[in-house]
Amino acid sequence: MDWQTLAAAGIVTLTLAVFLIRMARPRKKSGCGHHCDCGKK
Amino acid sequence: MQGSSEFPPTIALIGNPNSGKTTVFNALTGSNQKVGNYSGVTVEVKSGQMFTPHGKKLHVLDLPGCYSLRAPSLDEKVAVDALKGEIPGYAKPDMVVCVVDASNLERHLQLALQIIELGIPTVLVLNMVDMAEKSGLRLDPAKLSEELGVPVVPMQANAGKGIIELKQALRFPFPPTPAVAWAAENLENSRRALITRLCELAARRPDAHQLTLSDQLDNWLLHPVYGWIAFLGIMFSVFWGIFSFARIPMGWIEAGQGVIANWVVAHMADGDLRSLLVDGVLGGMGGVVVFLPQIVLLFLFIGLLESSGYMARAAFLMDGVMAKAGLSGKAFLPLFSSYACAIPGVLATRTIDSAKERLVTIFVAPWMSCSARLPVYFLIVPLLLHENEGSWKQAMILFAIYALGTTSAFGVARLLRAKLGPDTGATHFLLELPPYHAPQWSYILRHVGERAWSFVAQAGTIILGLSILLWALGTYPKSGGTKDEMLAHSAVGRIGSVIEPAVKPLGFDGRVGTAILTSFAAREVFNSSMAVLFRVDEAESDEKTRSLLRDRLAAAKRSDGTPLFTPLSLISLLVFYIYALQCLPTSAVVARETGSWKWAFRQFIFMSGFAYIASLIVYQGGKLLGFS
């Protein structure tokens, strides 16, 4: 396995982990997720 | 209690809609809350901090606009609850700053008197004195202060004039509670009599019958015929401007992407990491970021319309049209806001008095084509036209897309409104028509900047992540053979083959079906998915043309060798994206605003089902009629 394959697989694994952690983490605020103006105070 | 060292005293800003509370709030706290020259910009309590000239910290609340303290709509109830200290997390105000439009004192003083009657120390801000004086009013703040028994501060908040005087008026200790001299048996009548007297004494109008420039403009812009011509002309100009002016910066972004991609290809050996960087990261993010100029222009134009005062006129014109849909003019502004994003649109429905009308407006708001759909439209629309065709044709198609979404929303609103039945109580539509004024460029540009940054930040986080994952799904598990065979063997190829039977009747293949599936969380992800999924065709594309992705799509073939994207399948795809509700944050806000997930779920099922059936009818109907 060459270094590019290893690096790409590492980046994909890291990205997947970040997504899973973010999904599992309880949200502090319900609602708009800061997509638009509504999340700002 | 006027605060303590731990809890600073609280000041509440209150006033009629469009009196400039948020501008005063921003000037006091240094915040950058959204402002607009129309009512209903603030629908929630916003808070900030400021310091008096003596260094005393104050907590400032910006309350939604209200016409009286007995108002029925949700946003106005929020303001009243905040004044009573009944909103969790916010202290009862120690002082109220009542902001009134100096040129509309007769109407705005109604609320001011009610506030003073509450017995809370009050400062009256006469905002927009420049506009009042231009209209011929002769203001006497000292006389007004003497009559009301509260400090009166003349201001021009958008230019920062009067802020120092207001801060001086807020110094510690606060002025005592004013004595209410006008309270009589019939409070309404005594208030009215007092307001008439105050206006005679402190807001004299020597040339009361002279038409202002705003009045003269309104004679044309609110005219039953010319007003509509102007309205349609302005709306079409916005769409034309978005396509025309964005071309140059879009070219720069595309050129920049090309330079980076070429550099990576020249400096890296062929391999998975290079493929990930070029096809996954640059292809996926580039497919979205390239549309940044158009998003910026959309928000710039909306900001200009809001800030100049035209938006309120548009609401006035649309009142009759809204009535045909079973709604009132109050629903126009939330629906128009939804062109930018459905989330502030849904929040803005709080200004609607009728609960049923509010629910209907929330239900149809996502059909007002939001800015997240624009990248998808901008990807598909040029494929329907030849390269050398003018931007006015693209603008016409975009205009038609918006018209289709809007008319469909009105049709469904009418049906749903009829199903829900009439209101139990009477509701009223009261609209401020503020004077026209020059746009507040600093606010508009800051707001546009925030939106642009938010778009780029999203592209740099969620879309980047999804692009990487999609690249992985399109690459693994690996196999030998041609690129087509490798893709068919990959996870995406397998998902696509499962989805294909469901999307084939709409004119799509498994790859488009997969891209649609990935965009249910956020619709702009469609472009990234398409860029990643169609990378196999890169070698066949014409390098000289402007857009690699569009070329790849134009060259894409079905398994039987026929072109995948025909005019009919493209229109079918456009129709799907006009109607599908592909935005999780919107569903979350709908659930919050309606009080349960029931309506959000119904809305999602209805809109997704409608999108599928409409797309099916377009494609199959078109084929039956002999189109391809």
Side-chain angles (χ1 to χ4, degrees):
Chain A
M1 204 180 266
D2 67 302
W3 72 271
Q4 282 210 28
T5 306
L6 276 174
I11 291 170
V12 171
T13 309
L14 185 69
T15 308
L16 189 62
V18 170
F19 266 89
L20 290 174
I21 291 166
R22 283 178 68 125
M23 280 168 70
R25 198 173 55 186
R27 286 180 183 275
K28 281 179 187 167
K29 278 181 192 172
S30 63
C32 61
H34 297 267
H35 192 264
C36 287
D37 294 344
C38 57
K40 295 167 190 165
K41 281 253 173 171
Chain B
M1 188 183 77
Q2 292 188 347
S4 65
S5 56
E6 279 181 67
F7 302 102
T10 300
I11 307 278
L13 288 175
I14 194 165
N16 283 28
N18 203 40
S19 56
K21 295 173 300 300
T22 305
T23 310
V24 175
F25 175 82
N26 288 343
L28 283 175
T29 61
S31 301
N32 188 29
Q33 294 293 346
K34 186 177 188 286
V35 293
N37 190 14
Y38 65 98
S39 57
V41 172
T42 307
V43 291
E44 289 183 313
V45 177
K46 289 168 182 163
S47 63
Q49 288 184 342
M50 63 164 282
F51 289 89
T52 67
H54 299 112
K56 181 86 183 170
K57 193 202 267 183
L58 299 176
H59 193 217
V60 186
L61 305 180
D62 180 20
L63 307 186
C66 53
Y67 292 102
S68 81
L69 297 184
R70 298 185 312 276
S73 71
L74 184 61
D75 58 327
E76 292 169 322
K77 190 176 178 307
V78 167
V80 175
D81 288 348
L83 281 181
K84 292 177 182 167
E86 289 175 358
I87 293 187
Y90 294 110
K92 187 179 180 204
D94 300 292
M95 187 183 213
V96 175
V97 174
C98 183
V99 183
V100 298
D101 176 355
S103 53
N104 277 315
L105 275 184
E106 258 173 311
R107 197 164 63 251
H108 286 220
L109 279 177
Q110 282 279 356
L111 177 69
L113 295 187
Q114 291 177 38
I115 302 286
I116 294 169
E117 286 161 16
L118 287 178
I120 307 173
T122 304
V123 170
L124 188 70
V125 167
L126 287 184
N127 196 19
M128 298 184 259
V129 285
D130 55 323
M131 305 294 293
E133 281 163 6
K134 267 188 205 161
S135 72
L137 268 181
R138 290 188 188 164
L139 297 166
D140 188 345
K143 189 74 192 164
L144 200 57
S145 173
E146 189 185 308
E147 292 291 324
L148 290 172
V150 299
V152 175
V153 182
M155 277 188 81
Q156 188 190 338
N158 60 359
K161 291 179 183 170
I163 291 295
I164 294 171
E165 290 79 359
L166 177 59
K167 285 188 173 177
Q168 288 286 351
L170 301 179
R171 68 181 180 273
F172 228 55
F174 293 143
T177 307
V180 181
W182 59 88
E185 211 168 280
N186 190 332
L187 200 54
E188 283 290 330
N189 283 347
S190 51
R191 269 188 213 140
R192 220 170 294 142
L194 177 67
I195 290 170
T196 308
R197 195 164 64 86
L198 287 174
C199 288
E200 281 168 6
L201 287 170
R204 282 168 292 141
R205 197 186 288 273
D207 47 0
H209 299 294
Q210 192 184 332
L211 285 180
T212 62
L213 181 62
S214 283
D215 295 333
Q216 289 169 23
L217 278 171
D218 280 343
N219 283 341
W220 291 94
L221 294 174
L222 299 179
H223 189 274
V225 178
Y226 304 128
W228 277 102
I229 294 171
F231 175 77
L232 293 174
I234 288 168
M235 292 302 148
F236 183 77
S237 303
V238 166
F239 295 126
W240 177 82
I242 287 171
F243 266 113
S244 303
F245 301 147
R247 281 188 166 182
I248 297 169
M250 282 177 79
W252 294 338
I253 295 173
E254 283 172 349
Q257 283 168 16
V259 167
I260 298 170
N262 288 339
W263 188 87
V264 173
V265 170
H267 289 81
M268 274 181 87
D270 193 12
D272 276 3
L273 187 61
R274 192 178 89 172
S275 173
L276 171 63
L277 291 176
V278 175
D279 299 324
V281 175
L282 283 171
M285 280 178 67
V288 174
V289 170
V290 74
F291 298 105
L292 178 66
Q294 279 146 331
I295 305 283
V296 164
L297 282 170
L298 176 77
F299 280 97
L300 180 67
F301 288 136
I302 289 179
L304 283 173
L305 291 176
E306 287 175 355
S307 183
S308 64
Y310 183 74
M311 198 70 96
R313 273 73 184 179
F316 178 82
L317 279 175
M318 287 295 288
D319 188 41
V321 178
M322 305 302 285
K324 288 190 175 71
L327 304 171
S328 75
K330 273 205 167 183
F332 172 74
L333 292 170
L335 291 180
F336 194 88
S337 302
S338 302
Y339 283 136
C341 175
I343 291 166
V346 168
L347 289 174
T349 60
R350 291 181 182 193
T351 58
I352 298 172
D353 302 339
S354 155
K356 288 175 183 172
E357 186 184 337
R358 182 168 179 253
L359 188 61
V360 172
T361 311
I362 288 174
F363 195 82
V364 300
W367 271 1
M368 316 305 282
S369 284
C370 71
S371 59
R373 283 183 174 99
L374 277 179
V376 181
Y377 295 158
F378 291 140
L379 179 69
I380 300 169
V381 170
L383 288 170
L384 281 166
L385 300 166
H386 293 293
E387 184 72 21
N388 55 352
E389 285 186 288
S391 53
W392 69 272
K393 280 191 181 173
Q394 299 191 10
M396 285 287 285
I397 295 176
L398 193 62
F399 194 73
I401 288 169
Y402 275 68
L404 181 61
T406 307
T407 49
S408 306
F410 284 2
V412 169
R414 189 181 171 83
L415 292 173
L416 190 57
R417 193 74 182 83
K419 192 174 160 54
L420 290 176
D423 288 308
T424 45
T427 57
H428 307 282
F429 173 46
L430 194 63
L431 179 72
E432 294 276 338
L433 286 181
Y436 293 100
H437 60 62
Q440 288 177 261
W441 285 104
S442 58
Y443 283 118
I444 294 173
L445 294 178
R446 250 187 284 174
H447 186 61
V448 169
E450 278 177 6
R451 294 301 309 139
W453 175 245
S454 155
F455 184 78
V456 172
Q458 197 188 12
T461 52
I462 298 168
I463 293 172
L464 171 66
L466 286 174
S467 298
I468 291 170
L469 295 181
L470 274 167
W471 173 87
L473 289 174
T475 304
Y476 304 117
K478 283 189 160 190
S479 66
T482 64
K483 282 186 173 179
D484 278 337
E485 286 166 352
M486 284 162 70
L487 187 70
H489 188 259
S490 70
V492 153
R494 293 169 198 201
I495 294 168
S497 62
V498 172
I499 293 171
E500 188 152 308
V503 296
K504 207 171 179 182
L506 312 185
F508 316 143
D509 72 349
R511 290 171 292 178
V512 180
T514 308
I516 290 173
L517 196 68
T518 57
S519 65
F520 264 93
R523 44 179 74 86
E524 61 269 44
V525 172
F526 177 79
N527 283 28
S528 309
S529 304
M530 293 291 274
V532 174
L533 294 173
F534 281 83
R535 69 182 192 271
V536 287
D537 293 322
E538 190 177 0
E540 297 159 25
S541 66
D542 180 2
E543 294 294 335
K544 292 177 185 173
T545 50
R546 286 176 66 244
S547 170
L548 276 171
L549 176 55
R550 283 200 281 268
D551 283 353
R552 284 179 224 167
L553 298 184
K557 300 274 192 290
R558 293 176 196 276
S559 52
D560 60 4
T562 56
L564 173 60
F565 292 105
T566 62
L568 194 58
S569 67
L570 287 168
I571 293 171
S572 169
L573 190 56
L574 272 179
V575 166
F576 187 88
Y577 270 88
I578 289 169
Y579 292 124
L581 176 53
Q582 297 162 296
C583 182
L584 280 177
T586 297
S587 294
V589 171
V590 168
R592 193 181 73 179
E593 292 298 305
T594 56
S596 81
W597 276 92
K598 188 179 76 178
W599 278 98
F601 186 69
R602 282 180 182 174
Q603 189 184 40
F604 176 78
I605 295 294
F606 170 75
M607 289 188 170
S608 303
F610 195 99
Y612 187 88
I613 292 166
S615 189
L616 183 72
I617 291 170
V618 165
Y619 189 71
Q620 296 300 333
K623 270 177 64 174
L624 282 174
L625 293 170
F627 294 104
S628 61

